[in-house]
Amino acid sequence: MRLDPSVLAMPPPRRLAASLWDALVVLAATGAAYAVPLIELPGFLGPDEAWGIEVALTAVFGADVVVRARRAAAAPPGKRIGAWFGVALDVVAALPFYLLLGPTRLEWLDLLKLYRVAGAMHEVGRHYLGQETRLRLAFFVYWLALAVHLITCGFIMLGGVVLPTAPERYVEALYWCMTTLTTVGYGDVVPQTQVQKLYAAGVMMLGVGIYAYLIGNIASLISNLDPVRANYQQQRERLSAFMQYQGLPRPIRRHVHEYFDYLWEKRLVVDEPAMLAALPPNLRDEVALYLKRDLVLNVPLFRRAGEAFVHDVALQMRPFVCLPGDFVVRAGEHGREMYFLSRGTVEVLGRDGAVLRTLHGGDFFGEIALFTDAPRTASVRAVSTSDLYVLDKAMFDRIVAFYPEVAALLEAESNQRRSGVAADGGQ
Amino acid sequence: MRLDPSVLAMPPPRRLAASLWDALVVLAATGAAYAVPLIELPGFLGPDEAWGIEVALTAVFGADVVVRARRAAAAPPGKRIGAWFGVALDVVAALPFYLLLGPTRLEWLDLLKLYRVAGAMHEVGRHYLGQETRLRLAFFVYWLALAVHLITCGFIMLGGVVLPTAPERYVEALYWCMTTLTTVGYGDVVPQTQVQKLYAAGVMMLGVGIYAYLIGNIASLISNLDPVRANYQQQRERLSAFMQYQGLPRPIRRHVHEYFDYLWEKRLVVDEPAMLAALPPNLRDEVALYLKRDLVLNVPLFRRAGEAFVHDVALQMRPFVCLPGDFVVRAGEHGREMYFLSRGTVEVLGRDGAVLRTLHGGDFFGEIALFTDAPRTASVRAVSTSDLYVLDKAMFDRIVAFYPEVAALLEAESNQRRSGVAADGGQ
Amino acid sequence: MRLDPSVLAMPPPRRLAASLWDALVVLAATGAAYAVPLIELPGFLGPDEAWGIEVALTAVFGADVVVRARRAAAAPPGKRIGAWFGVALDVVAALPFYLLLGPTRLEWLDLLKLYRVAGAMHEVGRHYLGQETRLRLAFFVYWLALAVHLITCGFIMLGGVVLPTAPERYVEALYWCMTTLTTVGYGDVVPQTQVQKLYAAGVMMLGVGIYAYLIGNIASLISNLDPVRANYQQQRERLSAFMQYQGLPRPIRRHVHEYFDYLWEKRLVVDEPAMLAALPPNLRDEVALYLKRDLVLNVPLFRRAGEAFVHDVALQMRPFVCLPGDFVVRAGEHGREMYFLSRGTVEVLGRDGAVLRTLHGGDFFGEIALFTDAPRTASVRAVSTSDLYVLDKAMFDRIVAFYPEVAALLEAESNQRRSGVAADGGQ
Amino acid sequence: MRLDPSVLAMPPPRRLAASLWDALVVLAATGAAYAVPLIELPGFLGPDEAWGIEVALTAVFGADVVVRARRAAAAPPGKRIGAWFGVALDVVAALPFYLLLGPTRLEWLDLLKLYRVAGAMHEVGRHYLGQETRLRLAFFVYWLALAVHLITCGFIMLGGVVLPTAPERYVEALYWCMTTLTTVGYGDVVPQTQVQKLYAAGVMMLGVGIYAYLIGNIASLISNLDPVRANYQQQRERLSAFMQYQGLPRPIRRHVHEYFDYLWEKRLVVDEPAMLAALPPNLRDEVALYLKRDLVLNVPLFRRAGEAFVHDVALQMRPFVCLPGDFVVRAGEHGREMYFLSRGTVEVLGRDGAVLRTLHGGDFFGEIALFTDAPRTASVRAVSTSDLYVLDKAMFDRIVAFYPEVAALLEAESNQRRSGVAADGGQ
């Protein structure tokens, strides 16, 4: 828990010490906020206990004045005025009024130290990225608990409950406070005097504010529960609406839904190219290589082409999913892509529909499209759900231009195929 | 209802059996959660009934320990520790304390089995895509009903209601619970002792949380009611604001609004190109062909060009709507598109405004723009609201380059038109 | 108010008649829902009044059976089953039980007719685009008022209020209903018997649901109050954050803020190109011409170039705002744009900073950049806040290629300027 | 506070005077709304005080009639009818009924002047951009306080409280109003008569509406608290989900998270290119130059190239961050970028991994890639977290084409490097 920007400039061990000190101050300030009203109220804390608490608070707060003053001196010029103002509050909070004057109203000034608690929360919130709504709710519970304590003590002070012992009075006032803040309002404990009634009206208004703040935060939490899923689902719903509006026949609609369900089952729901685009170039390379390098190396031809070539190709491949029965390429079409089969099984079909060959994970097809504009000579159909990567001719040309030796290898390979079997996928 | 990832690896018939078993366990755990407090409270369940319930629970829970242990053994290594921890809870929940020791507080351990209910809900929620807020609300009602039952029993246990018979006590306590949770707080049934008051304060806080959670979910439900419509409407509102800010004259604004209303009436509100882009290539082709293939085939010329050509053209056509009186092309402009009239009627006007020809659904015009950069020689105006598809010259050139025979056909056709009538649309 | 899709196929006058009839049915159904409980309760409606009401309801509902049956016969096949099911409900609601049998519980079946009210609301909601949240709230108020009436009557029926006269009983029960639904819960009128208490618990839960639905809708209303403004503001805030993070000096930040404030003051906040892109081509032309045609015609040169040229140029001009003191072009830079000054004043500065010329709304400058790649020979600085339109060289080249006569005119004009004054803006 | 569009056309000093007058009118109208009910109620204001208040109100309102009439005369034609309608209301509000007739109900007409308060709020809201939800909440508190006062007075008027003195009655009624509006509903002060009960039911409904409006606004406030952070966080979460779904190994995931944390720590979270794109060209230049000019000038070579060149280069550089250990370029790859090291340290590594040279903030490398397509001859690895700017070859070529002298300088410099050390980064 860092309380001050100037702490950031410290070396790590001193930063840890500073954080621990700040945590201690937060603890002391919280203790003060709970203890001071009880010192005020008759019957809760004896003079010895009060004295002990005040000595401890004065010690911590006094030491903190020194700490804060040194930090203020080191603060950047633009923030120095604010820092010294904070130190002034620290000084006031540290003054030992109770120890010097006995029970006056001046010990309430200890609560000024809550300013440091708020500051610590602000720092934590600023540096803690992610789940900020949860953090805000946690801080809210802290302040709410404190407010409930103060409201309870306030009601006792105004004479709202008349019971023999102090704990009984506290429970009764707490019970009143809760029935009022939560707007339950049984009406078995109610304010009697005019002052109490105005006090109660204030507490009611506070209760409404607490409700609204709580609901607002929880609504915000819920609407951000799983943004990846929410986004995916909305895309799917829009597509459903589109297909219904357009009156697409049932088989096509089922086909589309199966595709989306498969993506979700495999958690392939995040758009890979968009994600990679959000990364800086070197991280993008690292992730893309991890995802695709093995696939490219599965292709025997590319394994011989060298690491740099593999790297360049992997960066340009786009992911692509095929459901069983889908045609990846159709004979007669003009192909402009080469395909890498990463997982699954596809079969190569001649123009007459006969299965010429079956390809498995690691195979590739359609490479002839990268050299010529001739139509595909065979169709390729997915047998099982298949993950493929696509390599566009345009992209590939740009890469191969840098690697004449690869171009030669590729040409030799496809010439051999064309003359030999003449029928593997995608020519 | 699948309770365990390891179930996913099973063959379908065993998966069904596993799901049915899990459903039974959920039922038994729910029954236990409702029954155990009533066993505790005097006057609700006789010893025989309690004995029977506990025997049944022990049987189901005991058998479930075996089922879970076998699944845990089959779990993937990374999840094995969690799986065995779950089995440990199952064992504790299955121990027949009541049968062995009679009524002690130990039978409350049966409620540990609710851990499996939560797990089952998590699984259902994870696999069930769409309407997740509704699902979350349904689960919430399950837990809320259970919480109300437990709170009611708790209030009876603390002596909050003093009535002769058990059902009367239950109704009175339930009534108190509801007035408190919903923050109505009549005040006719109120806690009397300090313990009861603290208990009531806790229930009030729970009520606030329930409120906030409920409202957050319903707000989320409402804001996602019809995303297609919401999106369309927002687009329309922005356009209205733009037109108002720019001070566009009333006829233009009415024209724009008519266009948007027509789109909505026909449910053409989802952006077709954007939707197609979200699909993988093969599904995209399937949908686009369904939508546009017949339109392309309506053009006699293209019918002769072969399936592959029709396919390629259909993929490149963009949808486009014209209101009555709108000019699709104007004489003298430089056209870069060919138009397919899918539905509606347009008329071809000469430079003098005379109607030269009327075209209907299935006709096409403006094809000369695909060959030359000469300005249009005639105007085309929509007579009724018309759905058109546009084919850009650039796209078309790229396609035709692969089909020399089609290029020849097209050229012949347009030469004939140009020399013959010299005035059908869009030259 | 159209109740049935089949109505849409009717000619307008019959549609109006159908809508009026549907409105009458909605009115009758609403009346039935309010009257039937009062017929049940003793002391509210005399037998004559009840008889009259039931006669009227039977007449309207009976006639409606005929209307609905004819519509069902005309419904599209896919919706026919649903339509006939609706007719069946109509028949049951129209049966004159009260008239035949006197006061039995069977007259409650009249409330089935509320099915038609729900259908009418659904139709209105589906066809009414815009402000759907407001519409939903209006429908909600309708159902809420009905629910309050029914709950009130129910409480009287259960004997919840014991008062001499019927109106007194109604007011007292209504008062109880409101205190419960709104969760105020004074506790001065409370349920006494067990049945009443369970009834009250149900009403409390309904109250929570109503709250949640209301708040969800109002939150949705507020978050969609002015999307144009919200969007603009968010853009401005992000820019502020960016500038603060980057530590931009105060003058630049003020400059940026002045720019955004000016846009807001002039309501130029909606992105013109994005708005135009949402329109179909012909509407886009219509709007763009309205906005820019006069500006282009203000340029004497273009006025001579003919309507078609003006049209093409207007479509390619992008809006652009300059604050006082901003440089539009700087001497020495490589210009690639021509500028049209639509409103405001700019001054042309030589390399030595001397003012060479002052330009006003309707003037243009920088046109030489459209012909050569030579650097600008003069600077242009805005004197007042100025609205300009920019024409890119690339765009312009593509247009002028179609108009050789315009190219000649332009060349002549700028040659003259270059040789003559040699110093107006932007060469 | 400007109340009228016509005020906008005034010169600044008159605008200030108009704003001050409007503020006075708002104050007077508010005072009237609080005072008139107290005049009605016995025991609150004596006849002298009432007389004094009415005289003051009549004076201000009467003067305002003149002011508004003059503004209405100057209003644009389209708004003139509305303006004169407003003046009519002003006249009615200004009529001195109380002074002429004594206490009748007619003095309530003074409250018509609240129309001007609403108008002023509307104007302020329209012109005040940013934090509009906060503004809406502030206005809401104004109206809420007024409503509470009126409801309180209404309850007294209906005889809801029976207490001797006027202040006691007011506090009691206010207390009742608050318990009802906040739905606390103690039940110690409750309506007795039927009229009071209906009045209370209305207040309850109003309370529900207030709650819903408040919660909706606060939810909207919370969901818009820090859009920059929310956006950044969501991007990070999506990336996390993507990496988890893809099963990326832990080191890569940590690497990505470190990168995002660094960006957040440095507040580099806003996409620089996107932000610049939102600005008009001249502001974009101003900001980009401030951010990058010094970096370009750090390069000795460019310092000699002249301001115009530096300007053009700065506009084309894209920001880019490298974490310690990241490779910026790798030997053997085909480089297409030049790098400017703005902050941090990188080391140049030969093909054998030996450190050839260390570069610091202000250095540049990889410039040879801008001339040739030869692979990089050395690797460059970040030693510390480094901020770089990237200059694409394509962009650079376009710029240098305009500056032959710079091309010569660059060529000379890199020839020297290549022949000399032959191994600094990025060749």
Side-chain angles (χ1 to χ4, degrees), chain B residues 288-309:
Chain B
L289 273 181
Y290 175 81
L291 291 176
K292 300 174 213 163
R293 194 175 164 281
D294 288 352
L295 296 177
V296 180
L297 285 183
N298 274 344
V299 183
L301 184 71
F302 289 1
R303 210 178 301 147
R304 281 172 273 151
E307 189 62 27
F309 178 78

PDB file of all heavy atoms in Angstrom, chain B residues 288-309:
ATOM      1  N   ALA B 288     -24.077 -16.311 -48.912  1.00  0.00           N
ATOM      2  CA  ALA B 288     -24.145 -15.327 -49.996  1.00  0.00           C
ATOM      3  C   ALA B 288     -24.772 -15.941 -51.239  1.00  0.00           C
ATOM      4  O   ALA B 288     -25.590 -15.302 -51.920  1.00  0.00           O
ATOM      5  CB  ALA B 288     -22.737 -14.803 -50.316  1.00  0.00           C
ATOM      6  N   LEU B 289     -24.424 -17.179 -51.524  1.00  0.00           N
ATOM      7  CA  LEU B 289     -25.003 -17.833 -52.701  1.00  0.00           C
ATOM      8  C   LEU B 289     -26.502 -17.979 -52.532  1.00  0.00           C
ATOM      9  O   LEU B 289     -27.272 -17.741 -53.472  1.00  0.00           O
ATOM     10  CB  LEU B 289     -24.366 -19.215 -52.913  1.00  0.00           C
ATOM     11  CG  LEU B 289     -23.100 -19.203 -53.741  1.00  0.00           C
ATOM     12  CD1 LEU B 289     -22.569 -20.605 -53.898  1.00  0.00           C
ATOM     13  CD2 LEU B 289     -23.375 -18.577 -55.111  1.00  0.00           C
ATOM     14  N   TYR B 290     -26.933 -18.382 -51.322  1.00  0.00           N
ATOM     15  CA  TYR B 290     -28.361 -18.521 -51.114  1.00  0.00           C
ATOM     16  C   TYR B 290     -29.081 -17.199 -51.370  1.00  0.00           C
ATOM     17  O   TYR B 290     -30.142 -17.157 -51.987  1.00  0.00           O
ATOM     18  CB  TYR B 290     -28.666 -19.000 -49.690  1.00  0.00           C
ATOM     19  CG  TYR B 290     -30.142 -19.038 -49.423  1.00  0.00           C
ATOM     20  CD1 TYR B 290     -30.914 -20.103 -49.838  1.00  0.00           C
ATOM     21  CD2 TYR B 290     -30.770 -17.968 -48.812  1.00  0.00           C
ATOM     22  CE1 TYR B 290     -32.284 -20.109 -49.644  1.00  0.00           C
ATOM     23  CE2 TYR B 290     -32.136 -17.966 -48.612  1.00  0.00           C
ATOM     24  CZ  TYR B 290     -32.890 -19.041 -49.024  1.00  0.00           C
ATOM     25  OH  TYR B 290     -34.236 -19.031 -48.845  1.00  0.00           O
ATOM     26  N   LEU B 291     -28.487 -16.099 -50.907  1.00  0.00           N
ATOM     27  CA  LEU B 291     -29.160 -14.810 -50.999  1.00  0.00           C
ATOM     28  C   LEU B 291     -29.180 -14.271 -52.424  1.00  0.00           C
ATOM     29  O   LEU B 291     -30.119 -13.607 -52.829  1.00  0.00           O
ATOM     30  CB  LEU B 291     -28.477 -13.787 -50.075  1.00  0.00           C
ATOM     31  CG  LEU B 291     -28.627 -13.999 -48.578  1.00  0.00           C
ATOM     32  CD1 LEU B 291     -27.818 -12.971 -47.821  1.00  0.00           C
ATOM     33  CD2 LEU B 291     -30.083 -13.904 -48.173  1.00  0.00           C
ATOM     34  N   LYS B 292     -28.107 -14.533 -53.200  1.00  0.00           N
ATOM     35  CA  LYS B 292     -27.951 -13.793 -54.457  1.00  0.00           C
ATOM     36  C   LYS B 292     -27.890 -14.640 -55.711  1.00  0.00           C
ATOM     37  O   LYS B 292     -27.993 -14.095 -56.812  1.00  0.00           O
ATOM     38  CB  LYS B 292     -26.673 -12.939 -54.375  1.00  0.00           C
ATOM     39  CG  LYS B 292     -26.702 -11.944 -53.245  1.00  0.00           C
ATOM     40  CD  LYS B 292     -25.379 -11.248 -53.144  1.00  0.00           C
ATOM     41  CE  LYS B 292     -25.066 -10.921 -51.702  1.00  0.00           C
ATOM     42  NZ  LYS B 292     -23.638 -10.622 -51.530  1.00  0.00           N
ATOM     43  N   ARG B 293     -27.722 -15.954 -55.560  1.00  0.00           N
ATOM     44  CA  ARG B 293     -27.525 -16.794 -56.728  1.00  0.00           C
ATOM     45  C   ARG B 293     -28.674 -16.642 -57.733  1.00  0.00           C
ATOM     46  O   ARG B 293     -28.455 -16.452 -58.931  1.00  0.00           O
ATOM     47  CB  ARG B 293     -27.411 -18.256 -56.286  1.00  0.00           C
ATOM     48  CG  ARG B 293     -26.887 -19.176 -57.361  1.00  0.00           C
ATOM     49  CD  ARG B 293     -26.687 -20.583 -56.810  1.00  0.00           C
ATOM     50  NE  ARG B 293     -26.555 -21.510 -57.899  1.00  0.00           N
ATOM     51  CZ  ARG B 293     -27.586 -21.968 -58.593  1.00  0.00           C
ATOM     52  NH1 ARG B 293     -28.791 -21.589 -58.304  1.00  0.00           N
ATOM     53  NH2 ARG B 293     -27.377 -22.815 -59.607  1.00  0.00           N
ATOM     54  N   ASP B 294     -29.913 -16.710 -57.247  1.00  0.00           N
ATOM     55  CA  ASP B 294     -31.057 -16.614 -58.139  1.00  0.00           C
ATOM     56  C   ASP B 294     -31.076 -15.288 -58.875  1.00  0.00           C
ATOM     57  O   ASP B 294     -31.461 -15.215 -60.042  1.00  0.00           O
ATOM     58  CB  ASP B 294     -32.362 -16.786 -57.347  1.00  0.00           C
ATOM     59  CG  ASP B 294     -32.527 -18.228 -56.909  1.00  0.00           C
ATOM     60  OD1 ASP B 294     -31.728 -19.079 -57.337  1.00  0.00           O
ATOM     61  OD2 ASP B 294     -33.453 -18.500 -56.117  1.00  0.00           O
ATOM     62  N   LEU B 295     -30.667 -14.230 -58.184  1.00  0.00           N
ATOM     63  CA  LEU B 295     -30.658 -12.918 -58.835  1.00  0.00           C
ATOM     64  C   LEU B 295     -29.695 -12.917 -60.011  1.00  0.00           C
ATOM     65  O   LEU B 295     -30.004 -12.400 -61.077  1.00  0.00           O
ATOM     66  CB  LEU B 295     -30.224 -11.843 -57.834  1.00  0.00           C
ATOM     67  CG  LEU B 295     -31.166 -11.636 -56.663  1.00  0.00           C
ATOM     68  CD1 LEU B 295     -30.587 -10.617 -55.716  1.00  0.00           C
ATOM     69  CD2 LEU B 295     -32.519 -11.179 -57.184  1.00  0.00           C
ATOM     70  N   VAL B 296     -28.516 -13.482 -59.799  1.00  0.00           N
ATOM     71  CA  VAL B 296     -27.533 -13.497 -60.876  1.00  0.00           C
ATOM     72  C   VAL B 296     -28.044 -14.374 -62.014  1.00  0.00           C
ATOM     73  O   VAL B 296     -27.909 -14.024 -63.200  1.00  0.00           O
ATOM     74  CB  VAL B 296     -26.175 -14.008 -60.360  1.00  0.00           C
ATOM     75  CG1 VAL B 296     -25.150 -14.015 -61.475  1.00  0.00           C
ATOM     76  CG2 VAL B 296     -25.697 -13.154 -59.199  1.00  0.00           C
ATOM     77  N   LEU B 297     -28.662 -15.489 -61.659  1.00  0.00           N
ATOM     78  CA  LEU B 297     -29.157 -16.402 -62.696  1.00  0.00           C
ATOM     79  C   LEU B 297     -30.330 -15.793 -63.457  1.00  0.00           C
ATOM     80  O   LEU B 297     -30.597 -16.188 -64.593  1.00  0.00           O
ATOM     81  CB  LEU B 297     -29.571 -17.736 -62.067  1.00  0.00           C
ATOM     82  CG  LEU B 297     -28.398 -18.629 -61.657  1.00  0.00           C
ATOM     83  CD1 LEU B 297     -28.895 -19.958 -61.124  1.00  0.00           C
ATOM     84  CD2 LEU B 297     -27.464 -18.861 -62.836  1.00  0.00           C
ATOM     85  N   ASN B 298     -31.036 -14.844 -62.854  1.00  0.00           N
ATOM     86  CA  ASN B 298     -32.109 -14.168 -63.562  1.00  0.00           C
ATOM     87  C   ASN B 298     -31.590 -13.433 -64.790  1.00  0.00           C
ATOM     88  O   ASN B 298     -32.319 -13.206 -65.747  1.00  0.00           O
ATOM     89  CB  ASN B 298     -32.807 -13.166 -62.637  1.00  0.00           C
ATOM     90  CG  ASN B 298     -33.895 -13.833 -61.826  1.00  0.00           C
ATOM     91  OD1 ASN B 298     -34.327 -14.946 -62.161  1.00  0.00           O
ATOM     92  ND2 ASN B 298     -34.327 -13.183 -60.769  1.00  0.00           N
ATOM     93  N   VAL B 299     -30.345 -13.014 -64.707  1.00  0.00           N
ATOM     94  CA  VAL B 299     -29.722 -12.320 -65.840  1.00  0.00           C
ATOM     95  C   VAL B 299     -29.393 -13.379 -66.891  1.00  0.00           C
ATOM     96  O   VAL B 299     -28.544 -14.231 -66.648  1.00  0.00           O
ATOM     97  CB  VAL B 299     -28.442 -11.595 -65.388  1.00  0.00           C
ATOM     98  CG1 VAL B 299     -27.856 -10.819 -66.540  1.00  0.00           C
ATOM     99  CG2 VAL B 299     -28.741 -10.707 -64.196  1.00  0.00           C
ATOM    100  N   PRO B 300     -30.063 -13.334 -68.035  1.00  0.00           N
ATOM    101  CA  PRO B 300     -29.890 -14.425 -69.010  1.00  0.00           C
ATOM    102  C   PRO B 300     -28.422 -14.622 -69.390  1.00  0.00           C
ATOM    103  O   PRO B 300     -27.931 -15.747 -69.508  1.00  0.00           O
ATOM    104  CB  PRO B 300     -30.703 -13.949 -70.221  1.00  0.00           C
ATOM    105  CG  PRO B 300     -31.594 -12.873 -69.721  1.00  0.00           C
ATOM    106  CD  PRO B 300     -30.924 -12.271 -68.531  1.00  0.00           C
ATOM    107  N   LEU B 301     -27.740 -13.516 -69.561  1.00  0.00           N
ATOM    108  CA  LEU B 301     -26.345 -13.575 -69.970  1.00  0.00           C
ATOM    109  C   LEU B 301     -25.518 -14.415 -69.003  1.00  0.00           C
ATOM    110  O   LEU B 301     -24.709 -15.251 -69.408  1.00  0.00           O
ATOM    111  CB  LEU B 301     -25.805 -12.144 -69.990  1.00  0.00           C
ATOM    112  CG  LEU B 301     -24.382 -11.992 -70.476  1.00  0.00           C
ATOM    113  CD1 LEU B 301     -24.313 -12.240 -71.968  1.00  0.00           C
ATOM    114  CD2 LEU B 301     -23.860 -10.619 -70.119  1.00  0.00           C
ATOM    115  N   PHE B 302     -25.707 -14.163 -67.711  1.00  0.00           N
ATOM    116  CA  PHE B 302     -24.866 -14.838 -66.708  1.00  0.00           C
ATOM    117  C   PHE B 302     -25.236 -16.310 -66.598  1.00  0.00           C
ATOM    118  O   PHE B 302     -24.414 -17.123 -66.207  1.00  0.00           O
ATOM    119  CB  PHE B 302     -25.011 -14.169 -65.347  1.00  0.00           C
ATOM    120  CG  PHE B 302     -24.366 -12.818 -65.273  1.00  0.00           C
ATOM    121  CD1 PHE B 302     -23.726 -12.269 -66.394  1.00  0.00           C
ATOM    122  CD2 PHE B 302     -24.382 -12.072 -64.099  1.00  0.00           C
ATOM    123  CE1 PHE B 302     -23.132 -11.019 -66.319  1.00  0.00           C
ATOM    124  CE2 PHE B 302     -23.792 -10.834 -64.032  1.00  0.00           C
ATOM    125  CZ  PHE B 302     -23.178 -10.299 -65.142  1.00  0.00           C
ATOM    126  N   ARG B 303     -26.520 -16.619 -66.932  1.00  0.00           N
ATOM    127  CA  ARG B 303     -26.927 -18.000 -66.831  1.00  0.00           C
ATOM    128  C   ARG B 303     -26.075 -18.866 -67.759  1.00  0.00           C
ATOM    129  O   ARG B 303     -25.767 -20.010 -67.443  1.00  0.00           O
ATOM    130  CB  ARG B 303     -28.414 -18.121 -67.181  1.00  0.00           C
ATOM    131  CG  ARG B 303     -29.106 -19.262 -66.446  1.00  0.00           C
ATOM    132  CD  ARG B 303     -30.574 -19.314 -66.795  1.00  0.00           C
ATOM    133  NE  ARG B 303     -31.245 -18.057 -66.462  1.00  0.00           N
ATOM    134  CZ  ARG B 303     -32.270 -17.538 -67.158  1.00  0.00           C
ATOM    135  NH1 ARG B 303     -32.773 -18.187 -68.196  1.00  0.00           N
ATOM    136  NH2 ARG B 303     -32.804 -16.384 -66.786  1.00  0.00           N
ATOM    137  N   ARG B 304     -25.675 -18.246 -68.885  1.00  0.00           N
ATOM    138  CA  ARG B 304     -24.854 -18.995 -69.826  1.00  0.00           C
ATOM    139  C   ARG B 304     -23.389 -19.084 -69.390  1.00  0.00           C
ATOM    140  O   ARG B 304     -22.605 -19.806 -69.971  1.00  0.00           O
ATOM    141  CB  ARG B 304     -24.929 -18.320 -71.207  1.00  0.00           C
ATOM    142  CG  ARG B 304     -26.222 -18.656 -71.958  1.00  0.00           C
ATOM    143  CD  ARG B 304     -26.316 -17.821 -73.216  1.00  0.00           C
ATOM    144  NE  ARG B 304     -26.951 -16.519 -72.970  1.00  0.00           N
ATOM    145  CZ  ARG B 304     -26.703 -15.411 -73.668  1.00  0.00           C
ATOM    146  NH1 ARG B 304     -25.807 -15.422 -74.642  1.00  0.00           N
ATOM    147  NH2 ARG B 304     -27.328 -14.296 -73.383  1.00  0.00           N
ATOM    148  N   ALA B 305     -22.995 -18.296 -68.368  1.00  0.00           N
ATOM    149  CA  ALA B 305     -21.573 -18.149 -68.054  1.00  0.00           C
ATOM    150  C   ALA B 305     -21.037 -19.262 -67.152  1.00  0.00           C
ATOM    151  O   ALA B 305     -19.826 -19.332 -66.923  1.00  0.00           O
ATOM    152  CB  ALA B 305     -21.327 -16.798 -67.394  1.00  0.00           C
ATOM    153  N   GLY B 306     -21.890 -20.103 -66.651  1.00  0.00           N
ATOM    154  CA  GLY B 306     -21.381 -21.204 -65.838  1.00  0.00           C
ATOM    155  C   GLY B 306     -21.459 -20.929 -64.348  1.00  0.00           C
ATOM    156  O   GLY B 306     -21.429 -19.773 -63.902  1.00  0.00           O
ATOM    157  N   GLU B 307     -21.539 -21.998 -63.577  1.00  0.00           N
ATOM    158  CA  GLU B 307     -21.754 -21.922 -62.135  1.00  0.00           C
ATOM    159  C   GLU B 307     -20.631 -21.170 -61.420  1.00  0.00           C
ATOM    160  O   GLU B 307     -20.871 -20.359 -60.519  1.00  0.00           O
ATOM    161  CB  GLU B 307     -21.885 -23.339 -61.571  1.00  0.00           C
ATOM    162  CG  GLU B 307     -22.332 -23.417 -60.132  1.00  0.00           C
ATOM    163  CD  GLU B 307     -23.710 -22.839 -59.928  1.00  0.00           C
ATOM    164  OE1 GLU B 307     -24.519 -22.843 -60.898  1.00  0.00           O
ATOM    165  OE2 GLU B 307     -23.978 -22.361 -58.827  1.00  0.00           O
ATOM    166  N   ALA B 308     -19.395 -21.450 -61.820  1.00  0.00           N
ATOM    167  CA  ALA B 308     -18.258 -20.852 -61.107  1.00  0.00           C
ATOM    168  C   ALA B 308     -18.287 -19.329 -61.219  1.00  0.00           C
ATOM    169  O   ALA B 308     -18.021 -18.609 -60.256  1.00  0.00           O
ATOM    170  CB  ALA B 308     -16.938 -21.395 -61.654  1.00  0.00           C
ATOM    171  N   PHE B 309     -18.660 -18.847 -62.425  1.00  0.00           N
ATOM    172  CA  PHE B 309     -18.736 -17.403 -62.617  1.00  0.00           C
ATOM    173  C   PHE B 309     -19.850 -16.803 -61.759  1.00  0.00           C
ATOM    174  O   PHE B 309     -19.658 -15.784 -61.089  1.00  0.00           O
ATOM    175  CB  PHE B 309     -18.980 -17.105 -64.103  1.00  0.00           C
ATOM    176  CG  PHE B 309     -19.129 -15.647 -64.397  1.00  0.00           C
ATOM    177  CD1 PHE B 309     -18.014 -14.834 -64.468  1.00  0.00           C
ATOM    178  CD2 PHE B 309     -20.382 -15.080 -64.562  1.00  0.00           C
ATOM    179  CE1 PHE B 309     -18.149 -13.476 -64.733  1.00  0.00           C
ATOM    180  CE2 PHE B 309     -20.522 -13.735 -64.799  1.00  0.00           C
ATOM    181  CZ  PHE B 309     -19.406 -12.929 -64.900  1.00  0.00           C
TER     182      PHE B 309
END
